[in-house]
Amino acid sequence: MKHERLLVWQRSVGLSVEIYRYFASCKDYGFKDQITRSGLSIPSNIAEGVERRSDKETIHFLGIAKGSAAELSTQVLIGKNIGLIDADNSDRWRVEIIEIAAMLGGLMNKLAMASD
């Protein structure tokens, strides 16, 4: 599958796995469900978009992935503020999310310019 070659997909999978493992024993099921779902959404939407037929469809799904990155960043910050995520992990994850979002934006711009 061509999405598996993308560094942005690989990094988002790694982040999702790390977050999922971190919350494996968390008893706050509502928060755990929400944060793991937004983490899973990023690589899932990258994969779906890249496997689509048109650049327009790909850009659409990459935009959804970028939105999920913003959602995840917000949840990580809230998790830190309420004591569910330690500061080291929170800060590291937020840096990774920012980099993933930037990579998604760059890919979207590249595809948009190619289809003009």
Side-chain angles (χ1 to χ4, degrees):
M1 309 294 299
K2 63 184 178 180
H3 65 271
E4 293 176 355
R5 295 181 293 211
L6 293 175
L7 182 58
V8 68
W9 179 83
Q10 294 168 6
R11 286 177 66 173
S12 63
V13 165
L15 179 61
S16 181
V17 167
E18 193 172 333
I19 289 170
Y20 203 91
R21 286 182 176 152
Y22 185 89
F23 283 97
S25 61
C26 179
K27 301 294 185 220
D28 186 333
Y29 298 109
F31 189 84
K32 172 183 178 176
D33 181 59
Q34 190 65 36
I35 197 166
T36 56
R37 291 177 100 193
S38 59
L40 289 167
S41 179
I42 301 168
S44 298
N45 278 291
I46 294 168
E48 185 168 357
V50 169
E51 299 301 328
R52 293 291 177 143
R53 291 179 171 232
S54 73
D55 287 347
K56 183 177 179 181
E57 286 181 297
T58 300
I59 291 167
H60 172 75
F61 281 95
L62 294 177
I64 294 170
K66 197 168 186 287
S68 292
E71 180 182 0
L72 179 60
S73 179
T74 299
Q75 293 162 355
V76 169
L77 180 62
I78 292 168
K80 176 184 174 182
N81 290 344
I82 63 174
L84 287 178
I85 303 172
D86 64 82
D88 289 340
N89 279 309
S90 172
D91 296 344
R92 188 170 47 79
W93 290 344
R94 291 194 75 215
V95 167
E96 182 69 357
I97 294 164
I98 289 166
E99 291 177 8
I100 287 169
M103 292 171 78
L104 288 167
L107 184 54
M108 291 167 69
N109 288 339
K110 180 179 175 182
L111 290 170
M113 289 190 317
S115 62
D116 284 342

